[in-house]
């Protein structure tokens, strides 16, 4: 029987970190399924989904924890493979002058509407003309059945006005398997 391991990896950024993790997973009999990784302020951080035979999991976890000696901190969460969740997704894009609380306030509106955030990326950039700090975020959202897009758009428009950001909700429905 296969299980899934969700790994959180963090350590000082340097060449070879992904190689060290992938070599350990392959040597332990794991199958690397899904990844989100980035270098943030000199630290390399990532999440990895690994499938492995249940009887090999303990040995792989021990081998991954041994990467501590290379400066990598790895947290492992075991989970059973879940059936695919199918639903309609939308893309949300946000841009505006940076200030604290943008993600907090938008995620609060989404949580109230029972919308799941499948993916979220954000970055701080310089404005093209002003040079001011601009906050940009992109999210893929899973909508609950029966959610009125009119109500969601209105709630997001209300918060966009308060935050003084532009929010774009791409309503093109697409099937998603999470």
């Amino acid at each position: 029987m296969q299980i899934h391991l969700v790994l959180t990896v963090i350590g000082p950024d340097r060449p070879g970190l992904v190689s060290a993790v992938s070599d350990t997973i392959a040597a332990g009999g794991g199958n690397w399924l899904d990844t989100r990784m980035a270098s943030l302020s000199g630290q390399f951080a990532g999440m990895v989904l690994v499938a492995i035979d249940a009887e090999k999991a303990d040995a792989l976890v021990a081998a991954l924890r041994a990467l501590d000696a290379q400066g990598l901190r790895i947290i492992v969460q075991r989970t059973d493979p879940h059936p695919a969740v199918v639903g309609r997704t939308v893309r949300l894009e946000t841009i505006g002058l940076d200030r604290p609380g943008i993600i907090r306030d938008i995620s609060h509106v989404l949580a109230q509407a029972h919308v799941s955030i499948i993916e979220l990326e954000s970055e701080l950039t310089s404005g093209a003309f002003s040079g001011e700090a601009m906050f940009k975020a992109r999210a893929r959202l899973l909508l609950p059945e029966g959610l009125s897009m009119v109500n969601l758009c209105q709630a997001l428009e209300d918060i966009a006005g308060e935050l003084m950001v532009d929010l774009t909700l791409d309503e093109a429905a697409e099937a998603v398997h999470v």
Side-chain angles (χ1 to χ4, degrees):
M1 177 180 88
Q2 290 243 306
I3 64 167
H4 284 168
L5 302 176
V6 177
L7 314 178
T8 303
V9 180
I10 189 164
D13 195 12
R14 64 174 172 75
L17 293 180
V18 173
S19 181
V21 174
S22 63
D23 286 347
T24 304
I25 291 169
N31 184 18
W32 185 299
L33 299 177
D34 201 0
T35 311
R36 304 291 184 276
M37 295 184 167
S39 180
L40 302 167
S41 191
Q43 294 291 308
F44 183 79
M47 298 176 301
V48 181
L49 177 63
V50 175
I52 190 163
D53 291 333
E55 64 274 1
K56 295 180 179 179
D58 288 337
L60 177 56
V61 170
L64 288 165
R65 293 220 164 103
L67 293 175
D68 251 4
Q70 295 182 33
L72 283 177
R73 181 164 182 244
I74 299 180
I75 299 170
V76 180
Q77 180 65 47
R78 296 170 190 250
T79 182
D80 294 323
H82 290 20
V85 175
V86 178
R88 189 167 60 124
T89 64
V90 297
R91 183 182 316 271
L92 176 65
E93 295 191 10
T94 305
I95 187 167
L97 291 175
D98 184 43
R99 72 169 195 75
I102 294 173
I103 292 294
R104 178 200 61 216
D105 293 348
I106 293 170
S107 64
H108 182 75
V109 169
L110 296 173
Q112 286 181 326
H114 304 286
V115 172
S116 293
I117 299 172
I118 299 170
E119 293 178 322
L120 173 64
E121 291 182 4
S122 66
E123 64 181 331
L124 197 58
T125 62
S126 291
F129 299 109
S130 67
E132 293 184 86
M134 300 294 293
F135 181 80
K136 294 181 181 182
R138 290 161 300 285
R140 196 162 56 113
L141 311 174
L142 180 63
L143 306 182
E145 282 191 43
L147 175 65
S148 162
M149 286 301 297
V150 171
N151 291 345
L152 180 59
C153 286
Q154 184 60 55
L156 289 170
E157 285 175 16
D158 290 347
I159 197 71
E162 292 174 25
L163 294 172
M164 298 188 339
V165 297
D166 290 327
L167 292 175
T168 305
L169 191 64
D170 179 0
E171 299 180 49
E174 61 183 78
V176 64
H177 301 278
V178 180

